[in-house]
């Protein structure tokens, strides 16, 4: 069977997804060891990116974008709410985020349907952030949704609806290919942001379970995980899941 647009996007960006999970920034989040200023800096970076992306998505008139984009997908106010909570609404966004925003503007002017590649990755990142929320709230003593409004914006039902709209909008292989290329560019920029946020941090390897822990972690009678569940950090659309 011919793969859908989302299946192509998911398989083609899986390596990027896995690479981001191994960055010092990501491993520090999962370990509960990320300095608070780095968490706030990430919010500031995404504020810069989302402000431009959501503006360009609203302005776009091409059918693929108008059939997918809706106000339900707006996340900028959530990031700004988090930044206000930390008193950091004017925080510096960083060079990588500014370059990311410039890339979005160039794309919107040249081939606006490629904006869907950016949206695919960033919408997926909030779905993954659901997994990270617990680590963040525990690390900084936060109470949902204060300080984690952006990290609580993901939703499995919303993701399913969003990807269904993408598949309906991206039926032509050449359009799919262009959006896929934009998604890969998005990941390159996301990686640059993560690298900037990782400066001075050391990658934290997950603890190696003892043989006894390994034996007890997955009992033979344990039920299978529900679709989309994961124990890993997720920085983008969930790897091989849809």
């Amino acid at each position: 069977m011919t793969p859908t647009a989302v299946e192509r996007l998911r398989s083609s960006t899986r390596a990027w997804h896995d690479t981001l999970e191994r960055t010092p920034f990501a491993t520090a989040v999962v370990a509960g060891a990320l300095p608070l200023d780095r968490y706030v800096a990430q919010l500031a970076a995404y504020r810069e990116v989302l402000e431009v992306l959501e503006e360009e998505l609203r302005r776009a008139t091409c059918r693929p974008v108008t059939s997918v984009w809706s106000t339900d997908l707006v996340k900028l106010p959530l990031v700004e709410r988090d930044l206000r909570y930390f008193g950091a609404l004017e925080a510096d966004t960083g060079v990588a985020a500014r370059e990311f925003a410039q890339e979005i503007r160039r794309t919107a002017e040249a081939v606006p349907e490629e904006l869907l590649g950016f949206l695919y990755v960033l919408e997926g990142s909030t779905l993954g952030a659901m997994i990270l929320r617990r680590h963040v709230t525990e690390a900084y003593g936060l109470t949902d949704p204060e300080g984690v409004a952006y990290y609580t914006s993901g939703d499995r039902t919303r993701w399913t609806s969003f990807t269904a709209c993408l598949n309906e909008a991206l039926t032509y292989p050449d359009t799919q290919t262009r959006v896929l290329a934009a998604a890969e560019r998005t990941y390159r920029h996301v990686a640059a942001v993560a690298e900037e946020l990782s400066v001075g941090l050391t990658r934290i390897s997950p603890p190696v379970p003892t043989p006894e822990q390994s034996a007890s972690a997955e009992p033979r009678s344990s039920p299978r995980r529900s679709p989309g569940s994961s124990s890993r950090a997720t920085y983008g659309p969930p790897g091989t899941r849809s």
Side-chain angles (χ1 to χ4, degrees):
M1 295 178 61
T2 303
T4 65
V6 171
E7 287 170 343
R8 291 187 65 191
L9 283 161
R10 186 172 60 241
S11 61
S12 297
T13 59
R14 188 187 327 175
W16 279 108
H17 177 269
D18 293 342
T19 296
L20 284 166
E21 289 188 338
R22 293 191 294 269
T23 61
F25 175 85
T27 60
V29 172
V30 175
L34 183 72
L36 179 59
D37 65 333
R38 299 299 177 92
Y39 173 69
V40 173
Q42 184 203 32
L43 295 174
Y46 277 85
R47 185 264 311 272
E48 171 91 9
V49 172
L50 289 170
E51 184 174 31
V52 174
L53 178 60
E54 292 179 1
E55 176 190 352
E56 295 296 349
L57 286 165
R58 284 192 298 269
R59 293 173 53 187
T61 58
C62 61
R63 184 170 179 79
V65 173
T66 59
S67 64
V68 173
W69 175 246
S70 72
T71 56
D72 294 340
L73 298 173
V74 170
K75 291 183 284 294
L76 179 61
L78 301 177
V79 176
E80 292 179 334
R81 174 179 175 174
D82 290 339
L83 288 169
R84 279 194 296 270
Y85 175 81
F86 292 111
L89 195 57
E90 303 303 319
D92 180 48
T93 59
V95 173
R98 289 192 289 272
E99 292 178 347
F100 194 170
Q102 290 169 3
E103 173 81 17
I104 293 170
R105 289 203 186 280
R106 288 193 297 268
T107 298
E109 183 176 353
V111 193
E113 60 261 36
E114 291 184 6
L115 291 171
L116 293 176
F118 293 93
L119 181 60
Y120 169 78
V121 175
L122 294 177
E123 179 64 23
S125 73
T126 56
L127 179 65
M130 294 172 60
I131 300 167
L132 303 175
R133 179 178 59 194
R134 176 176 60 84
H135 301 291
V136 171
T137 55
E138 290 179 357
Y140 310 129
L142 303 175
T143 302
D144 284 354
E146 299 305 324
V148 287
Y150 178 69
Y151 271 44
T152 59
S153 62
D155 180 86
R156 172 58 58 176
T157 300
R158 183 169 110 169
W159 174 253
T160 300
S161 176
F162 168 70
T163 53
C165 287
L166 266 184
N167 281 332
E168 290 178 6
L170 303 176
T171 56
Y172 295 106
D174 58 339
T175 305
Q176 290 180 10
T177 298
R178 288 196 297 271
V179 171
L180 191 154
E184 292 179 342
R185 295 201 306 277
T186 306
Y187 265 110
R188 283 197 290 273
H189 285 287
V190 170
V193 171
E195 289 171 5
E196 200 169 72
L197 294 170
S198 294
V199 173
L201 301 179
T202 302
R203 180 177 179 273
I204 302 173
S205 299
V208 179
T210 65
E212 292 78 11
Q213 290 172 327
S214 298
S216 61
E218 294 288 344
R220 292 180 181 178
S221 60
S222 63
R224 295 179 61 187
R225 289 177 178 171
S226 60
S229 64
S230 172
S231 60
R232 302 189 307 164
T234 307
Y235 289 87
T240 58
R241 310 169 189 88
S242 61

